[in-house]
Amino acid sequence: MTVNPITTPLGYSLPPHTPHAITVHLPGWDTALRLRDGDPELGKQLKSMYPRFSPLSLVKEISNPFRTPRQRWLTKRQLCTKLLTILPSVSPTTHGCLPFTTPDSFPLATAHAISHHRPAEHRFSEADLSSLQFKVVDFLSVPLIPDAEPTENVRLYLVIYPLPETKGVMGVWTNPGIGISTRLAEVLVPLVDDAGRVEVLEWEATGTDFLAGPGTLKEQGVPKPTYLPESDAHTKLRERIVALCQRSPLDAEVAAKLKPEDVFLYTTGMAAVFRLQEALLKAGRQGTVVALGAVFHSTFHLFEELEEATTSDKEEEEKVEAFKHFGNCEDSAKVMDELEQYARELKEKGRKIAYLFVEFPSNPLLVSVDLERLRKIADEYNFPVVVDDTVGSFANIDVLPVADVVVTSLTKTFSGFADVMAGSILLSPSSRYHPLLSSVLLTSHSNNLSPPDAIHLLSNSNSYLSRSATHNHNAEQLATFLHTYSLSHPHVISRVLYPTTLPSLPNYTRHMRPATPEFTPGYGCLLSINFPTKRIARAFYDNLQVHQGPHLGAHLTIALPFNDLLWGAEEGTRKYHGGYGSVGSQVRVSVGLEGWEGLREAFQYALDEAEKVVREGAEETK
């Protein structure tokens, strides 16, 4: 069998290639592991990268090999490099720069750098914090909204660090997801060389200035933010999300109460998760954060940061658990019993669950928990339920009747073309927590989603329903094909994970929207494949002619050894996540919009090659 090879070079984005691509092609299992382990030689080859992972790979000033050399891409690295050249005492050759539009990036960076969650070799001591520099820069009369006078000013908060300390700082960019976008950078880059358009404020500080005492932070008189103006696209995005939630709802009364004011937009899906947690804490939701099942790695790391260090046995005995994870959720009745018992024990101790977070279905295991039972437990023990519906997506499922808050990465299927990032918080109008959370968010929320990003996202999402239909069809076809294959070839594929192949299917179908003439809901674009050994998984993956790298919900199919990449570096982490099913011999697949026959042939070819490895192994053991 011959299949069409992927011709995208290593390190480049999925086609079509744009300066705002959020994908990177990393062909081969070993390439993914080189990325995980920070191989500097691989880093030099990366011309694109998921922007929230790091601004240091996608931010390079590069020439698009598919265009003429004169057509340069404007990137965040170009912006940071230019800014470092006009700032005193730092240089692009010695320092890196993380640009934000929010002043809380400074205390966040300080707390992150000294956190006990950093490995010792990357953790800043309090004495080292003087090398973490904070500066503020104003861009004047920025043309952010098309066909409008460029009257807006944009204030950036720069976290500047020595390049050897990158690993101790980068998580403040990766996990909260509140850094600036490539489109905002593209607008700002030309202004750096325009005399009078950029002002460096006299205010400056270091990480040391944010310490109030050992391990604690203090407030500083940081210049107030300007934030970003909203455009008509922001209003239309909120209206579109409401219309999608009101399209074929499971509870018409709940959906009818939903208003655009219940939708809050953010720069990334992780920013939505981060700002929601911040709002819940401001609303008085102190206690233990509980997560169910597989949780996206940045979300998991965000929750881990809640845990404080313990320095003595006595403190260990008195320690109040800040994060509780119930990983294995395949046995829905069992995990709900465990959750109920945990909530009861907390109540008996005079404690409570701050809120519960669950993906529906989960990434990458595709498990769907029993949301009805969860709702009853939450009502009995008085905690809000936050559902991340990114994988299931607005088009297919309706979780508003059982969720207090819905968070969504709009970067994924909603956008669909892998060239813009955004996220949303949606407050359920039926939630008892709606008045409190609405008040907190309306008071604290400020716009950081740039108008160019909002405009592009609105355009992309015009085709959301039609694309979702194709995603659903292709993914279900592929899952059925692979599952059928696994029944006769368990020595090659041990299991296929997709809502239709799992015992939790009834939990998913209960939340599917009713079909309409325009759209029949399905099970989303994501599936995962388990192999008996990593050797077989590698043989399959290395011969699979689809794009390979991070991201889901794109127009083209993308595969990734998700668990080995994100959890495989450290033995303890690998064992913990493998214990509930996020095993290293698993390949995650985000199914795109290609023709089904071409996809089937590509996967059949990879299966044939994996089977050869199985036969070779059998021969070797004779």
Side-chain angles (χ1 to χ4, degrees):
M1 176 186 296
T2 59
V3 296
N4 294 326
I6 298 297
T7 58
T8 301
L10 184 153
Y12 285 82
S13 69
L14 274 62
H17 307 276
T18 82
H20 307 294
I22 62 173
T23 56
V24 60
H25 182 46
L26 301 170
W29 196 291
D30 285 339
T31 308
L33 299 193
R34 288 172 63 200
L35 178 71
R36 180 194 73 188
D37 299 334
D39 183 341
E41 292 305 311
L42 176 65
K44 295 175 183 177
Q45 295 178 268
L46 299 184
K47 311 303 181 185
S48 179
M49 177 48 74
Y50 199 68
R52 194 178 45 73
F53 283 2
S54 165
L56 297 183
S57 51
L58 128 64
V59 292
K60 295 175 181 176
E61 181 184 1
I62 56 175
S63 297
N64 182 353
F66 299 92
R67 297 183 178 184
T68 62
R70 290 185 179 180
Q71 291 177 294
R72 295 282 181 177
W73 288 2
L74 302 177
T75 66
K76 281 179 282 189
R77 177 56 179 273
Q78 190 177 0
L79 175 64
C80 293
T81 300
K82 283 177 174 287
L83 287 172
L84 287 173
T85 61
I86 66 171
L87 296 173
S89 74
V90 293
S91 162
T93 60
T94 59
H95 287 75
C97 170
L98 301 176
F100 301 87
T101 54
T102 56
D104 62 351
S105 55
F106 293 162
L108 282 171
T110 302
H112 183 87
I114 62 175
S115 170
H116 69 282
H117 292 289
R118 307 288 77 72
E121 64 270 25
H122 303 313
R123 188 185 314 139
F124 280 62
S125 68
E126 293 186 3
D128 295 333
L129 283 175
S130 60
S131 67
L132 195 60
Q133 301 179 51
F134 304 136
K135 297 182 184 294
V136 184
V137 175
D138 279 353
F139 289 79
L140 309 178
S141 300
V142 181
L144 282 175
I145 300 177
D147 303 321
E149 285 294 320
T151 58
E152 301 291 343
N153 294 343
V154 173
R155 177 163 289 172
L156 293 188
Y157 298 85
L158 308 182
V159 175
I160 300 167
Y161 55 93
L163 287 176
E165 308 300 329
T166 298
K167 290 185 178 180
V169 179
M170 192 51 61
V172 77
W173 178 277
T174 304
N175 296 329
I178 58 175
I180 71 166
S181 73
T182 55
R183 282 186 177 80
L184 179 56
E186 184 177 50
V187 174
L188 298 180
V189 165
L191 304 185
V192 180
D193 296 325
D194 190 343
R197 300 291 289 276
V198 179
E199 293 182 357
V200 180
L201 275 64
E202 291 185 4
W203 182 95
E204 63 180 16
T206 70
T208 304
D209 295 318
F210 284 84
L211 285 181
T216 61
L217 302 177
K218 65 179 179 180
E219 295 296 327
Q220 282 289 325
V222 185
K224 293 182 178 180
T226 59
Y227 296 116
L228 301 178
E230 287 203 359
S231 63
D232 290 342
H234 289 78
T235 301
K236 291 177 180 177
L237 280 170
R238 285 190 284 266
E239 291 172 347
R240 175 164 291 170
I241 290 171
V242 168
L244 286 165
C245 291
Q246 292 176 335
R247 186 197 66 81
S248 191
L250 291 176
D251 189 322
E253 185 177 349
V254 171
K257 294 178 182 177
L258 193 63
K259 299 177 181 178
E261 292 78 15
D262 294 320
V263 181
F264 297 85
L265 300 174
Y266 298 88
T267 51
T268 64
M270 276 310 305
V273 174
F274 175 69
R275 293 304 185 192
L276 174 62
Q277 177 166 283
E278 195 175 56
L280 285 161
L281 292 174
K282 288 180 181 177
R285 294 305 308 180
Q286 306 296 328
T288 303
V289 174
V290 174
L292 297 183
V295 177
F296 184 60
H297 71 104
S298 284
T299 306
F300 193 89
H301 293 322
L302 194 66
F303 295 157
E304 281 185 316
E305 292 290 330
L306 296 169
E307 296 285 6
E308 296 180 356
T310 300
T311 58
S312 73
D313 293 339
K314 183 177 180 181
E315 286 183 6
E316 179 64 36
E317 292 172 4
E318 298 175 354
K319 181 180 176 184
V320 176
E321 196 168 36
F323 172 42
K324 174 68 174 177
H325 182 224
F326 293 90
N328 194 337
C329 291
E330 278 219 56
D331 187 333
S332 191
K334 180 181 178 182
V335 74
M336 288 303 158
D337 287 345
E338 292 172 347
L339 172 64
E340 189 166 20
Q341 180 180 350
Y342 181 75
R344 185 185 307 116
E345 291 173 352
L346 281 184
K347 185 176 181 180
E348 290 170 353
K349 296 175 182 176
R351 301 171 186 167
K352 65 181 180 181
I353 293 175
Y355 71 95
L356 182 142
F357 184 94
V358 62
E359 295 184 4
F360 189 87
S362 63
N363 169 20
L365 302 185
L366 286 306
V367 172
S368 305
V369 302
D370 184 348
L371 292 180
E372 278 76 14
R373 174 95 185 270
L374 174 57
R375 181 72 266 164
K376 292 176 182 177
I377 297 171
D379 288 342
E380 181 176 356
Y381 292 97
N382 190 33
F383 60 84
V385 173
V386 178
V387 179
D388 185 332
D389 71 343
T390 298
V391 174
S393 196
F394 298 133
N396 298 311
I397 59 174
D398 180 6
V399 297
L400 267 184
V402 289
D404 295 290
V405 187
V406 180
V407 294
T408 308
S409 175
L410 303 176
T411 309
K412 310 302 193 301
T413 316
F414 184 80
S415 167
F417 295 100
D419 60 358
V420 64
M421 300 190 74
S424 65
I425 290 174
L426 180 60
L427 301 182
S428 172
S430 65
S431 169
R432 71 174 74 173
Y433 304 100
H434 180 278
L436 179 60
L437 286 176
S438 179
S439 174
V440 170
L441 283 170
L442 286 172
T443 301
S444 63
H445 180 267
S446 298
N447 181 53
N448 291 289
L449 179 66
S450 79
D453 287 304
I455 292 166
H456 196 81
L457 180 62
L458 183 68
S459 175
N460 279 3
S461 61
N462 283 332
S463 58
Y464 169 60
L465 282 181
S466 61
R467 284 186 287 101
S468 294
T470 305
H471 279 304
N472 290 339
H473 173 268
N474 281 351
E476 187 172 3
Q477 287 275 90
L478 181 58
T480 301
F481 167 74
L482 293 171
H483 179 65
T484 301
Y485 179 93
S486 72
L487 296 178
S488 57
H489 298 77
H491 52 290
V492 180
I493 292 181
S494 55
R495 196 176 190 200
V496 176
L497 307 177
Y498 192 64
T500 58
T501 69
L502 298 177
S504 63
L505 175 61
N507 294 335
Y508 183 95
T509 56
R510 276 196 292 271
H511 297 281
M512 292 178 76
R513 295 182 182 276
T516 63
E518 63 178 351
F519 183 79
T520 299
Y523 304 95
C525 68
L526 198 70
L527 61 89
S528 293
I529 312 164
N530 283 3
F531 296 87
T533 68
K534 195 180 291 187
R535 181 168 179 258
I536 299 170
R538 282 172 173 263
F540 170 85
Y541 188 79
D542 291 347
N543 287 283
L544 181 61
Q545 290 299 314
V546 301
H547 285 88
Q548 298 179 345
H551 193 47
L552 67 90
H555 51 294
L556 298 176
T557 297
I558 311 173
L560 185 69
F562 185 86
N563 298 322
D564 208 18
L565 170 65
L566 297 174
W567 307 123
E570 298 177 1
E571 183 179 3
T573 301
R574 181 170 61 250
K575 286 184 176 180
Y576 176 78
H577 293 283
Y580 63 83
S582 292
V583 296
S585 56
Q586 183 182 96
V587 174
R588 190 189 75 171
V589 180
S590 169
V591 186
L593 307 178
E594 301 96 331
W596 161 242
E597 283 304 317
L599 280 175
R600 186 191 63 78
E601 290 177 1
F603 278 80
Q604 183 63 65
Y605 176 78
L607 291 171
D608 291 344
E609 295 301 307
E611 189 166 7
K612 290 178 183 178
V613 168
V614 173
R615 289 198 298 267
E616 291 169 1
E619 289 295 326
E620 290 173 2
T621 58
K622 285 184 179 179

